[in-house]
Every structure is written in C-alpha cells, then in structure tokens.
Amino acid sequence: MARSVTTNRKHANTVLAWGVGLLIFFPILWTILTSFKTEAQAIASPPVFLNFDWTLENYAIVQERSDYMRFLWNSVIIAGGSTLLGVIIAVPAAWSMAFVPSKRTKDILLWMLSTKMLPAVGVLYPIYLIFIRLGLLDSRVGLVIVIMLINLPIIVWMLYTYFREIPGEILEAARMDGATLREEILYVLTPMAIPGIASTILLNIILAWNEAFWTLNLTAARAAPLTAFIASYSSPEGLFYAKLSAASTMAIAPILILGWFSQKQLVRGLTFGAVK
C-alpha cells in the first residue's frame, strides 16, 4: 500500500530539490555571468554578481583568436562518432548477455566495468606509441576509437539493463515466425528498447563531449575538440578569467542545449523498466 505524503512534506522535498539543483548549477551560472564581465570585474573583490557592465567583448576576442567552428565540428564528429560506433558494438553484446545468459555473465560485466577504474594515465604511453605507429595521432578517427573504447563498458551495462526488462517470450515468438538473428535484433529488440537506447546515446554523447584527458594528449591542432579550445585559454602570461569563461560558455552551450531539449527522453530512458 502506498504511503500518504503530507502537503508540508511535498513542499519540503520540492524546496530541497530546487536547492540541490541550484547548488549544482551555480558554477555554470557563474561561468556564464563572468563571460559577460570585463577582466577587472571578473577578478573584483568582493565578487560582482549581477551589478556589472555587460559586454560581448570577450566573445568577440575569443572568436577572433580561435576558429570556434572548427573545434565545434571536431567535437560533434568525435562525440557522435564514438557513441554511434559504441552502440553498434554494444547492442549485439548486450543482447547476448541478456538473452543468452551464462554463469560468467555477471563476471564479464564486472570485469568490463572494472576497466573504468584504471587510471587513464596508466595506459597513455602505450596508446600514444600505437597512435604514432599507426599514424592516428592528432586524428579524429583515432579519438573516435579511443573514446568509444573508454565508454563501451558503460554503453554495454546500460543496454544490458534495458534489454533485461524486455520479455524473452517476444523474441522467441519472433524466431518462431521465422525471424533471423539480425531481424530479431534490428526489428524486434531495438524498437522496444528505444527509450533505453536513446538515453544511452544521450548520456554517452555528454561523456564523450566532456572527455579532456585523451583529447588533450592525443591531439595538437587538426583534430582538437572544444576541450582543447578551452585549454588554450589557460595562459602562463596571466589569468584571463573573463575570456576563459567566454570560451567555456561557448564550449558547453551546445551540450547544455541538447540536454535541455532531451531531458524528458533522458529521464524516461533512465527510469525505463523501473515501474512494473
């Protein structure tokens, strides 16, 4: 029997949720506000919150100094390509673990997830040498492969969880109707798991978009994404907070917009199968 929740408890939970949300969002808000300040106002003490002279000068300087669209296009290709490639590989893998289980399935899943616990710097040197040997250094193809491999365990785990919520009898019925393995996965399983697949894609695009370690160490100029674009404003000559904030705002704006418009789909996918 469901527990009754008092009106005061609902109000308290709402206030608490908004408080936590604003606390999490505040650093982003402060970065956006700082991008519209002058350098003097950006380092003013005490800090200036809203009462300052708004200016677009920082954005003009950033755009003049850097080719923002090139960095943006690299980020789109790397994030989208790695996520798409990861989903193509993960769907059959998650299907086999969900519907052809073995005693080692959980061990395999745990081993895959344990690779995320390995410090990235521990494998940087061998991967760097491999990239030099294969000519993949400072290339979008190389970054797509590396970031796909980094996020593949998460993609498999998420898809496995969603596929487990789909009744196996439906797939058995498809096989009895003559569906091949490819048709079973492509035309029966995938459409039923669209919410889960969509949330997996969205989450991994965000992870790939924000990846900084590999993009900074495996790129120089040609394939540099927006993470390298931001890092270029960390100057030893001085701390340019306003310009750095403008560059950061330009880098996070696309993913913030994507997350805002897709939040319902993301929440729906993350809660897929939670209520029976």
Side-chain angles (χ1 to χ4, degrees), residues 174-198:
R175 286 193 289 268
M176 292 179 64
D177 288 339
T180 63
L181 178 59
R182 175 180 171 276
E183 293 171 340
E184 176 186 333
I185 295 177
L186 193 59
Y187 300 115
V188 180
L189 178 65
T190 302
M192 295 184 64
I194 283 296
I197 294 175

Side-chain angles (χ1 to χ4, degrees), residues 80-92:
S82 62
T83 300
L84 179 61
L85 183 60
V87 170
I88 292 174
I89 296 173
V91 166

Side-chain angles (χ1 to χ4, degrees), residues 12-171:
N13 290 340
T14 300
V15 171
L16 179 61
W18 272 100
V20 173
L22 291 174
L23 181 63
I24 295 172
F25 182 70
F26 183 77
I28 300 175
L29 176 62
W30 186 259
T31 299
I32 295 173
L33 291 176
T34 304
S35 69
F36 293 100
K37 300 177 182 178
T38 63
E39 291 295 345
Q41 291 171 334
I43 61 174
S45 181
V48 181
F49 187 62
L50 291 175
N51 188 23
F52 60 87
D53 299 324
W54 295 67
T55 178
L56 294 174
E57 179 184 2
N58 298 312
Y59 289 93
I61 294 175
V62 168
Q63 181 60 34
E64 180 181 352
R65 171 179 166 180
S66 306
D67 187 359
Y68 170 75
M69 293 306 299
R70 177 173 63 85
F71 290 101
L72 175 64
W73 181 239
N74 286 339
S75 285
V76 170
I77 293 178
I78 293 169
S82 62
T83 300
L84 179 61
L85 183 60
V87 170
I88 292 174
I89 296 173
V91 166
W95 171 87
S96 64
M97 293 180 184
F99 299 106
V100 191
S102 69
K103 296 181 180 179
R104 298 294 184 183
T105 297
K106 292 185 178 180
D107 294 334
I108 294 172
L109 287 170
L110 183 59
W111 172 78
M112 293 178 63
L113 193 61
S114 69
T115 61
K116 295 291 293 180
M117 305 174 189
L118 175 69
V121 70
V123 292
L124 173 61
Y125 189 62
I127 289 179
Y128 189 84
L129 294 179
I130 291 172
F131 268 48
I132 293 177
R133 181 65 61 87
L134 298 179
L136 294 176
L137 198 63
D138 196 18
S139 70
R140 290 183 293 204
V141 173
L143 282 177
V144 165
I145 295 173
V146 166
I147 295 178
M148 180 274 294
L149 293 174
I150 291 172
N151 292 331
L152 188 60
I154 296 178
I155 300 176
V156 174
W157 259 91
M158 292 183 68
L159 292 181
Y160 168 78
T161 303
Y162 299 135
F163 289 173
R164 288 286 293 174
E165 301 297 331
I166 297 176
E169 292 79 7
I170 296 178
L171 302 183

